[in-house]
């Protein structure tokens, strides 16, 4: 019991004093996962909408691939991103392996199918007639698509939550492509694993609390926005 | 050549889905300012026709002319779409305020803020929803939502308005009050309107012309009077409310009238016919009078038959009486007259209808054509 109590005590001390190493790790986590979420929102919403609105042979296969992609194991993503970015790999010339950029790339690979899949479902569940209604109001094709995306904004918020929640708490890919380099590519999850391994439970608990609070706060804001839009 | 008064003209429209012909319209023209009602049973192709005329559904073949210009070639599709508005059975509002919903068509067109405000405010007033302008569309009742949808459609000042069963999902009082407002707005704005409905009373009330649609074809098009009282075939007749449709042979030709024998009974009708010709007679139920006593012989050309009541069905405000007088005859009786006459099933009664009230169809009775499938 002492171990835990002592750990929690120290953890709060680290938090209250805004320990610089803990803060750096937190900020990097937010930067990497935030950037990855933003990029995957852009990629996922545009491609998800495109697939939702088009008919082509093999569409069902594409949709099933997207749905599978929603559950990609981060470790597998980490493996393939590492291979691609390896010095002798296809994208090795970029020289970004073991950098935060590589972590953003890997997290994008994880989050994009999630956003894509939720977008696809969200756009498809809008009434079919809505498209006709929008066109009949004189909308151009681009205006029509933009209106549909706005109509699907509530489920799309879920995509933001799921995407961000997925990557900020992910560890497999981050540790493989980022390398958990102190002060450079160390994020909340990779640091927690390392500190736990070293038996530094106080730091590990502090990092764990920060991760929990962060994900909670972000979901709280999004939930608040989403609930406000609900009918009475 | 298109007459100047024709705003919309369709030629040889053909719509097919998965090898099935959904629509086959050789010709249809819509006059500027008219209200054309497309009536027909569910699945008749009314909505398909509406979507094709608005070019929201691409026909497999055929041409569409707007003010004499061919849509898609002489006249760009995007320009055409901006001349129309559409209201569906479901309000299909956007997830925003009532005001922004009504403004949406104008916004798509890049209309300035000031003009949007003027036009939206005007429409909100016309449809009696000014007080709802800041409400979220998600909180509206069915009637309020449909009013918003209509206001949104009218806000862009469409040259052709398409209404697809706009009142079908509303409860009777809401429907009544909305229909009244739409009637007024249409009358004032003189907007060319094409409305689909499966309710003939709605069509009679709003339209200047009625087209009866079934199985993807227009069976008859004409003024409400023409369609109601001179249906071209049995299907149209039954759809516009003719309850008695009987076939017989002309047995005698008189001056201006002729007698038709139906199961040994003679019915006198107005018009010209050749002896031995087979004709179909349509008798609207509201034109049949019932009496327990004998009818006076005053009226000439009055068909009077003695028969037995076989069935009485309550229809709400009136009762439907089925009489067997050698042939089946249907009469409507208001609940009040019903109380006065005290009719029961099995009772003997006299039924009468004027010769002038009979619509004669010369063509042998046919079932509506089956659309030829494209194999």
């Amino acid at each position: 019991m002492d171990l835990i109590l002592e750990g929690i005590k120290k953890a709060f001390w680290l938090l209250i004093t805004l320990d610089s190493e803990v803060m750096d790790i937190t900020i990097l986590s937010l930067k990497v996962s935030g950037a990855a979420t933003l990029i995957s929102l852009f990629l996922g919403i545009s491609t998800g909408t495109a697939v939702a609105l088009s008919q082509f042979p093999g569409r069902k296969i594409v949709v099933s691939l997207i749905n599978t992609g929603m559950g990609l194991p981060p470790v597998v993503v980490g493996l393939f991103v590492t291979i691609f970015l390896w010095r002798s790999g296809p994208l090795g010339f970029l020289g970004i392996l073991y950098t935060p950029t590589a972590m953003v790339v890997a997290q994008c690979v994880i989050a994009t199918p999630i956003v894509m899949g939720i977008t696809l479902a969200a756009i498809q569940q809008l009434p079919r007639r809505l498209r006709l209604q929008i066109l009949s109001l004189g909308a151009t094709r681009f205006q029509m698509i933009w209106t549909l995306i706005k109509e699907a904004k509530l489920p799309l918020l879920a995509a933001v939550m799921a995407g961000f929640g997925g990557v900020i708490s992910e560890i497999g890919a981050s540790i493989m492509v980022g390398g958990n380099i102190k002060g450079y590519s160390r994020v909340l999850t990779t640091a927690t694993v390392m500190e736990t391994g070293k038996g530094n439970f106080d730091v590990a608990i502090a990092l764990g609390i920060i991760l929990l609070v962060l994900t909670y706060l972000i979901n709280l804001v999004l939930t608040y926005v989403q609930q406000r839009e609900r009918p009475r | 050549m298109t007459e100047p008064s024709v705003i919309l003209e369709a030629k040889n429209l053909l719509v097919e889905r998965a090898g099935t012909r959904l629509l086959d319209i050789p010709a249809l023209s819509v006059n500027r300012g008219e209200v054309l009602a497309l009536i027909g049973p569910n699945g008749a192709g009314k909505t398909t026709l509406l979507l094709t005329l608005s070019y929201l559904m691409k026909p497999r073949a055929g041409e569409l002319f707007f003010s004499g210009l061919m849509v898609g070639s002489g006249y760009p599709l995007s320009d055409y779409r901006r001349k129309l508005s559409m209201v569906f059975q479901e309000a299909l509002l956007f997830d925003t305020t009532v005001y922004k919903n009504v403004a949406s068509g104008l916004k798509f067109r890049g209309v300035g803020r000031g003009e949007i405000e003027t036009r939206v405010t005007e429409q909100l007033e016309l449809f009696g929803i000014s007080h709802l302008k800041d409400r979220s569309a998600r909180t509206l009742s069915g009637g309020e939502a449909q009013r918003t949808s209509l206001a949104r459609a009218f806000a862009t000042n469409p040259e052709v308005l398409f209404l697809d069963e706009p009142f079908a999902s509303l409860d009777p009082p809401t429907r009544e009050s909305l229909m009244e407002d739409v009637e007024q707005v249409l009358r004032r704005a003189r907007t060319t309107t094409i409305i689909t409905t499966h309710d003939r009373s709605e069509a009679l009330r709003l339209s200047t012309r009625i087209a009866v649609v079934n199985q993807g074809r227009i069976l008859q098009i004409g003024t409400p009077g023409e369609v109601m009282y001179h249906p071209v075939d049995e299907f149209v007749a039954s759809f516009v409310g003719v309850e008695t449709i009987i076939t017989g042979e002309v047995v005698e030709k008189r001056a201006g009238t002729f007698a038709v024998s139906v199961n040994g009974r003679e019915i006198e009708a107005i018009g010209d016919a050749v002896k031995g010709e087979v004709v179909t007679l349509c008798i609207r139920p509201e034109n049949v009078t019932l009496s327990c006593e004998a009818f006076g012989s005053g009226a000439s050309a009055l068909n009077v038959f003695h028969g037995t009541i076989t069935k009485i069905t309550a229809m709400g405000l009136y009762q439907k009486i089925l009489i067997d007088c050698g042939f089946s005859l249907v009469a409507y009786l208001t609940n009040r007259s019903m109380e006065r006459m005290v009719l029961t099933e099995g009772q003997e009664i006299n039924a009468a209808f004027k010769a002038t009230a009979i619509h004669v169809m010369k063509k042998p009775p046919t079932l509506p054509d089956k659309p030829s499938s494209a194999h």
Side-chain angles (χ1 to χ4, degrees):
Chain A
M1 264 329 261
D2 270 4
L3 192 66
I4 298 173
L5 281 178
E6 204 57 26
I8 291 175
K9 233 194 282 175
K10 273 200 182 160
F12 273 99
W13 182 246
L14 284 170
L15 291 176
I16 290 160
T17 56
L18 299 176
D19 178 86
S20 74
E21 199 186 337
V22 171
M23 285 306 118
D24 284 350
I25 290 173
T26 308
I27 287 165
L28 185 67
S29 267
L30 286 176
K31 272 188 187 162
V32 168
S33 297
T37 307
L38 278 181
I39 295 169
S40 49
L41 280 180
F42 179 75
L43 295 175
I45 290 179
S46 53
T47 49
T49 309
V51 175
L53 294 183
S54 50
Q55 295 294 331
F56 52 88
R59 187 178 180 277
K60 279 200 176 125
I61 292 173
V62 172
V63 173
S64 67
L65 284 176
I66 293 172
N67 288 335
T68 309
M70 291 177 80
L72 276 187
V75 177
V76 177
V77 173
L79 169 65
F80 281 98
V81 173
T82 306
I83 292 173
F84 268 77
L85 298 179
W86 200 257
R87 199 187 299 272
S88 55
L91 299 173
F93 65 90
L94 295 172
I96 56 169
L97 191 59
Y98 305 125
T99 64
T101 312
M103 295 162 76
V104 173
V105 171
Q107 294 195 352
C108 275
V109 175
I110 296 168
T112 303
I114 298 178
V115 177
M116 216 191 279
I118 297 178
T119 305
L120 181 68
I123 298 284
Q124 274 181 339
Q125 57 102 62
L126 293 172
R128 263 194 82 78
R129 288 258 176 104
L130 191 61
R131 278 180 236 173
L132 301 180
Q133 176 73 78
I134 296 168
L135 287 176
S136 78
L137 284 164
T140 60
R141 192 164 166 78
F142 179 77
Q143 286 172 328
M144 189 263 285
I145 291 170
W146 182 237
T147 310
L148 286 178
I149 291 174
K150 280 200 296 185
E151 281 306 291
K153 64 185 174 226
L154 294 189
L156 289 185
L157 274 174
V160 178
M161 290 191 216
F164 185 80
V167 292
I168 193 142
S169 57
E170 168 286 320
I171 169 139
S174 293
I175 209 158
M176 287 166 90
V177 306
N180 192 29
I181 301 164
K182 183 175 180 180
Y184 181 62
S185 64
R186 185 164 294 171
V187 288
L188 287 167
T189 51
T190 59
T192 309
V193 170
M194 189 193 66
E195 299 296 347
T196 309
K198 289 201 293 192
N200 294 338
F201 295 120
D202 49 352
V203 184
I205 290 174
L207 294 171
I209 289 173
I210 292 175
L211 190 55
L212 274 177
V213 170
L214 272 182
T215 40
Y216 175 70
L217 281 182
I218 281 153
N219 280 289
L220 181 71
V221 171
L222 293 173
T223 311
Y224 190 77
V225 176
Q226 200 176 39
Q227 296 294 322
R228 195 183 51 181
E229 293 284 334
R230 283 261 177 85
R232 287 173 301 168
Chain B
M1 277 298 288
T2 358
E3 286 170 24
S5 69
V6 172
I7 187 163
L8 204 60
E9 193 179 8
K11 284 182 187 162
N12 305 314
L13 282 188
L14 217 61
V15 175
E16 283 174 357
R17 277 289 173 279
T20 315
R21 187 159 296 184
L22 298 182
L23 206 62
D24 181 3
I25 309 289
L28 173 66
S29 52
V30 182
N31 299 320
R32 201 174 282 277
E34 80 169 326
V35 178
L36 173 66
L38 307 175
I39 66 171
N42 291 331
K46 306 179 298 272
T47 302
T48 308
L49 179 53
L50 209 62
L51 292 177
T52 311
L53 289 176
S54 58
Y55 234 84
L56 290 168
M57 187 185 257
K58 213 173 164 293
R60 206 182 99 94
E63 293 112 52
L64 189 66
F65 297 87
F66 178 77
S67 293
L69 297 169
M70 190 165 142
V71 175
S73 79
Y75 196 65
L77 184 56
S78 51
D79 286 8
Y80 177 56
R81 288 237 180 89
R82 295 206 163 176
K83 299 280 182 198
L84 342 159
S85 271
M86 184 112 185
V87 173
F88 289 99
Q89 180 175 342
E90 323 87 69
L92 293 171
L93 297 180
F94 303 129
D95 185 11
T96 176
T97 62
V98 168
Y99 181 94
K100 285 190 177 158
N101 262 289
V102 178
S104 55
L106 298 168
K107 243 183 141 188
F108 287 143
R109 287 163 174 76
V111 175
R113 203 175 258 269
E115 197 185 339
I116 288 185
E117 178 152 12
T118 322
R119 279 160 80 172
V120 171
T121 309
E122 182 193 358
Q123 291 306 323
L124 290 173
E125 250 162 58
L126 273 178
F127 285 95
I129 46 173
S130 300
H131 61 291
L132 301 172
K133 81 181 171 68
D134 296 321
R135 275 266 291 277
S136 156
R138 290 169 153 245
T139 65
L140 301 176
S141 70
E144 291 166 342
Q146 201 57 307
R147 279 172 186 275
T148 307
S149 182
L150 281 157
R152 176 174 68 178
F154 273 100
T156 56
N157 247 330
E159 290 203 33
V160 186
L161 180 66
F162 293 92
L163 305 175
D164 187 20
E165 303 258 9
F167 312 112
S169 48
L170 303 175
D171 58 82
T174 310
R175 177 192 309 208
E176 177 56 33
S177 82
L178 186 54
M179 218 188 294
E180 207 152 281
D181 287 359
V182 169
E183 211 179 342
Q184 250 183 43
V185 173
L186 284 180
R187 201 164 295 160
R188 199 174 323 158
R190 294 184 164 277
T191 312
T192 310
T193 305
I194 307 176
I195 178 173
T196 68
T197 174
H198 57 256
D199 181 347
R200 60 172 178 264
S201 62
E202 217 172 281
L204 287 173
R205 181 163 167 188
L206 294 170
S207 69
T208 47
R209 267 205 309 164
I210 292 179
V212 183
V213 182
N214 194 33
Q215 300 193 330
R217 289 157 190 264
I218 294 179
L219 302 179
Q220 184 173 8
I221 183 162
T223 63
E226 278 164 10
V227 176
M228 283 287 280
Y229 296 106
H230 304 284
V232 292
D233 65 20
E234 275 195 71
F235 178 84
V236 176
S238 61
F239 200 78
V240 298
V242 174
E243 295 270 14
T244 306
I245 301 171
I246 37 181
T247 302
E249 195 189 320
V250 178
V251 287
E252 200 188 331
K253 200 168 143 0
R254 298 167 191 150
T257 68
F258 57 89
V260 180
S261 165
V262 178
N263 299 343
R265 299 292 193 106
E266 260 186 34
I267 300 175
E268 194 170 11
I270 304 279
D272 211 20
V274 186
K275 198 172 164 184
E277 201 180 347
V278 174
V279 293
T280 301
L281 308 178
C282 297
I283 305 157
R284 298 194 64 88
E286 62 268 29
N287 290 335
V288 178
T289 345
L290 299 181
S291 174
C292 297
E293 287 106 51
F295 279 97
S297 56
S300 64
L302 186 70
N303 294 290
V304 180
F305 295 98
H306 188 74
T308 317
I309 296 176
T310 50
K311 194 162 194 256
I312 299 175
T313 317
M315 305 290 283
L317 296 175
Y318 57 90
Q319 312 263 338
K320 178 175 162 180
I321 320 277
L322 185 65
I323 304 138
D324 178 17
C325 42
F327 53 89
S328 282
L329 185 66
V330 176
Y332 286 169
L333 217 55
T334 61
N335 291 346
R336 273 197 67 189
S337 337
M338 190 72 189
E339 271 170 41
R340 200 154 31 84
M341 292 177 71
V342 211
L343 299 180
T344 51
E345 288 175 10
Q347 185 180 338
E348 298 205 345
I349 193 140
N350 291 314
F353 50 90
K354 285 184 188 160
T356 49
I358 303 173
H359 168 62
V360 182
M361 295 192 296
K362 293 285 182 87
K363 273 190 292 182
T366 47
L367 289 168
D369 297 2
K370 292 240 156 57
S372 49
S373 61
H375 287 305

